[in-house]
Amino acid sequence: MAANMYRVGDYVFFENSSSNPYLIRRIEELNKTASGNVEAKVVCFYRRRDISHSLIQLADKHAKDLEEEKEEEKESPLEAELTDKQKHQLRHRELFLSRQYESLPATHIRGKCSVALLNETEAVLSYLDKEDTFFYSLVYDPTQKTLLADKGEIRVGPRFQADVPDMLQEGESDEWDQSKLEEKLWDPDCPLSSKQIDQFLVVARAVGTFARALDCSSSVRQPSLHTSAAAASRDITLFHAMDTLHRHGYDLSSALSVLVPSGGPVLCRDEMEEWSASEAAMFEEALEKYGKDFNDIRQDFLPWKSLTSIIEYYYMWKTTDRYVQQKRLKAAEAESKLKQVYIPTYNKPNPNQISVTNGKMATVNGAGPGAYHAAGGGRACESCYSMQSAQWYSWGPPNMQCRLCVSCWMYWKKYGGLKMPSRAEAPEEKTPPSPVPNEPRSRGHGPRQSSHMVPVRNSGSPKSSTKTKQAFLLQATRLTKLARHMCRDVIRLRRAARRPFVPINCGAIKAECKSSFNS
């Protein structure tokens, strides 16, 4: 029951296609539509297979730099080096956070998972030891097609520590840099009493209110006396008054004359008054989208404002009635939203599932009891090379006739790739795995097919990025090259190359080669 209960903040698998891997999302809201269905507003995470090759290279460089820094900072012996298989499977666990939101039907949820920010102090193999566990360290912008480091990086290590100066030796003098010393702005032991200071501050507020009444732009923004008086009572006016007192040696008569010079009363305005109504609305919209990410707010919404101005405005805005009203409105909206939703376990058959012949147990190419004989010609699993499985699933392009066993199919759906077993784990008579582990391989039915031609993905083709189908080249083995020159009468190599699934009569080739050598 608890496993099928999904709440706000959960990381979940979503299925948008029966043949593609699951989407990984974080639930932000659960809303009930007018038709009675539940929709989930989610944050999108992307896999390596979802972003461009150039960004993948950037992510690999970032990971390499982190690993080098980690190795430099280690005081303990180095960890065991990762095998090729572990490195391959770790790539399936890496995600990229995005700021993109989307709404998906809650009925498409297929289970829970765990996503964490990459912990630089934790062994990376810990992510492989846990089921349905993923990590991320970079933020992907699908609009700008960029990768940036997440701002939540854990700053651990010597490079984040303060540099402590060496202790002075006995008799050694410490020469201070006067430019780095702080400036005194107020003397708590000044000759004025608290009552006199308060009276001066009241005069400063009154001057500020009068100055706003004389200023045309201020009278438009604060048309009422109450708002002008409230603006004149903010910190900017008090800071100016106290600075004036300090600069004039706490002489009240001298300080009062500065508040109202010959040109008119001094008007001090802070960010709340400097910003227009449209700028304030844009700030609130940006804050709703990015949160307190002030750099992004400035870059995308308010580039003409300085970062200091935006931060100062934010903390002043939090003291306004508008902020309180918005907070109450959000609280009311949160009360009306769903806190959790129950989604039954999805048990409908997958369209990619290969039907079982007569529903009976049978052997597959002599694999022994316990294996179903299903459509697909009795081919082994494309990932683990197993010949036995309770159920098979078609995988890859239809013309390739590839299939996966149950465990590898679930791995593909959850992690977006194949396990890629090591060469020692694969049976010797099977065709070696494809150079691109995530792509289907092309194999024939004959036992000697591997001596014919090995299919290799042509990733360097200039048109491969625009084609909808995968492009392959056929790389000839040594036996094929030799047969091309010596056995022209026995086999036509051009015709055989166009039909890679048809076995070649290797016996006739060997006999022809033997007779050629003897002659």
Side-chain angles (χ1 to χ4, degrees):
M1 185 75 174
N4 295 86
M5 195 66 72
Y6 299 92
R7 300 174 176 84
V8 173
D10 284 348
Y11 295 91
V12 295
F13 292 116
F14 271 91
E15 185 172 38
N16 69 336
S17 171
S18 60
S19 57
N20 290 335
Y22 293 140
L23 305 176
I24 297 178
R25 301 290 186 261
R26 183 179 71 232
I27 300 177
E28 291 295 301
E29 295 178 5
L30 291 170
N31 303 311
K32 199 166 186 178
T33 62
S35 59
N37 299 322
V38 177
E39 279 193 350
K41 181 183 178 183
V42 295
V43 176
C44 301
F45 286 85
Y46 290 85
R47 303 178 190 266
R48 293 173 69 93
R49 67 197 307 272
D50 300 326
I51 65 179
S52 65
H53 180 67
S54 59
L55 292 181
I56 287 293
Q57 291 179 327
L58 185 63
D60 289 340
K61 183 179 181 300
H62 178 264
K64 185 178 180 181
D65 293 342
L66 286 180
E67 189 63 28
E68 290 176 355
E69 292 176 1
K70 188 176 178 182
E71 293 293 340
E72 291 175 0
E73 296 169 4
K74 271 185 182 176
E75 299 177 0
S76 58
L78 297 178
E79 298 176 1
E81 191 172 342
L82 299 178
T83 64
D84 290 341
K85 181 178 179 179
Q86 289 171 334
K87 291 178 181 178
H88 174 75
Q89 293 183 353
L90 272 174
R91 294 190 188 101
H92 300 158
R93 303 297 184 104
E94 184 179 12
L95 301 177
F96 302 96
L97 174 65
S98 76
R99 308 297 185 192
Q100 182 177 352
Y101 292 85
E102 62 182 10
S103 294
L104 296 172
T107 53
H108 288 191
I109 295 177
R110 296 294 180 263
K112 296 180 182 179
C113 60
S114 176
V115 181
L117 179 66
L118 178 63
N119 190 345
E120 298 177 18
T121 62
E122 188 176 0
V124 72
L125 281 178
S126 62
Y127 298 102
L128 283 182
D129 297 336
K130 304 171 186 175
E131 283 291 326
D132 305 334
T133 301
F134 302 86
F135 66 90
Y136 74 94
S137 61
L138 298 174
V139 179
Y140 173 60
D141 187 342
T143 305
Q144 303 293 333
K145 306 295 182 185
T146 57
L147 277 181
L148 298 173
D150 186 76
K151 307 227 173 10
E153 178 185 6
I154 301 175
R155 299 178 178 270
V156 178
R159 65 186 187 279
F160 299 116
Q161 303 303 317
D163 294 328
V164 181
D166 296 333
M167 185 176 67
L168 297 176
Q169 300 296 329
E170 186 176 354
E172 184 180 358
S173 62
D174 187 9
E175 297 181 0
W176 291 91
D177 185 359
Q178 296 296 324
S179 63
K180 296 182 179 179
L181 296 181
E182 295 180 349
E183 181 184 355
K184 187 176 182 180
L185 298 178
W186 181 260
D187 186 3
D189 299 323
C190 66
L192 298 178
S193 65
S194 298
K195 182 178 180 180
Q196 289 175 310
I197 295 174
D198 290 339
Q199 288 174 340
F200 182 79
L201 294 180
V202 170
V203 173
R205 293 191 191 100
V207 170
T209 305
F210 180 59
R212 283 167 176 78
L214 297 178
D215 184 67
C216 296
S217 60
S218 297
S219 60
V220 172
R221 294 180 182 180
Q222 284 104 15
S224 68
L225 176 63
H226 292 289
T227 55
S228 297
S233 300
R234 286 202 288 264
D235 291 340
I236 189 68
T237 304
L238 302 183
F239 290 160
H240 173 69
M242 297 177 77
D243 287 344
T244 303
L245 270 180
H246 181 72
R247 286 197 307 270
H248 291 79
Y250 303 96
D251 184 356
L252 288 176
S253 59
S254 176
L256 285 171
S257 63
V258 173
L259 287 181
V260 189
S262 57
V266 175
L267 175 58
C268 302
R269 289 191 291 202
D270 55 22
E271 296 297 334
M272 288 298 295
E273 291 182 86
E274 293 290 347
W275 287 44
S276 65
S278 59
E279 289 175 335
M282 291 175 67
F283 173 80
E284 292 177 1
E285 180 185 351
L287 196 67
E288 183 72 21
K289 181 177 181 180
Y290 293 121
K292 292 193 294 183
D293 197 335
F294 299 116
N295 283 306
D296 287 349
I297 291 175
R298 179 175 181 267
Q299 181 177 354
D300 294 346
F301 284 83
L302 299 162
W304 58 89
K305 295 288 186 181
S306 67
L307 190 61
T308 303
S309 173
I310 293 174
I311 295 174
E312 184 178 342
Y313 179 82
Y314 168 75
Y315 285 103
M316 291 183 175
W317 172 77
K318 288 189 69 174
T319 64
T320 61
D321 291 338
R322 184 174 177 83
Y323 169 76
V324 176
Q325 292 172 1
Q326 287 190 0
K327 196 172 182 181
R328 289 175 180 172
L329 184 62
K330 286 185 177 180
E333 289 179 354
E335 288 295 326
S336 63
K337 294 182 183 297
L338 298 176
K339 300 296 187 301
Q340 59 186 15
V341 61
Y342 176 81
I343 306 296
T345 303
Y346 186 79
N347 53 13
K348 294 182 180 179
N350 191 294
N352 290 69
Q353 184 174 326
I354 302 174
S355 59
V356 179
T357 305
N358 297 329
K360 297 181 180 180
M361 302 289 286
T363 59
V364 179
N365 289 350
Y372 284 105
H373 179 71
R379 299 160 66 89
C381 174
E382 293 295 315
S383 177
C384 67
Y385 301 105
S386 173
M387 299 294 291
Q388 301 184 28
S389 176
Q391 186 57 56
W392 296 95
Y393 294 84
S394 62
W395 179 77
N399 63 313
M400 302 296 289
Q401 300 181 4
C402 301
R403 64 178 186 172
L404 296 176
C405 64
V406 173
S407 62
C408 293
W409 174 258
M410 289 309 301
Y411 186 93
W412 159 256
K413 292 291 286 184
K414 288 183 177 181
Y415 304 113
L418 298 186
K419 297 179 182 178
M420 194 190 79
S422 63
R423 191 71 188 95
E425 297 174 359
E428 293 183 1
E429 66 273 14
K430 303 292 187 302
T431 305
S434 168
V436 183
N438 287 354
E439 301 297 336
R441 300 188 306 278
S442 172
R443 292 191 307 217
H445 300 285
R448 296 284 186 172
Q449 183 67 24
S450 60
S451 64
H452 177 20
M453 292 189 177
V454 181
V456 181
R457 185 182 178 190
N458 184 12
S459 57
S461 173
K463 296 183 180 180
S464 60
S465 60
T466 59
K467 289 185 178 181
T468 56
K469 295 183 179 180
Q470 296 291 349
F472 288 86
L473 63 88
L474 294 175
Q475 179 179 339
T477 61
R478 291 184 179 180
L479 179 60
T480 308
K481 292 178 180 179
L482 184 63
R484 181 183 302 163
H485 297 285
M486 302 188 64
C487 308
R488 298 179 185 274
D489 297 333
V490 178
I491 181 174
R492 297 181 180 178
L493 266 296
R494 285 185 180 276
R495 181 177 298 178
R498 296 190 186 102
R499 301 191 301 170
F501 297 105
V502 178
I504 293 177
N505 190 347
C506 296
I509 294 176
K510 289 181 179 179
E512 179 67 19
C513 291
K514 187 175 181 180
S515 62
S516 299
F517 285 135
N518 292 337
S519 60

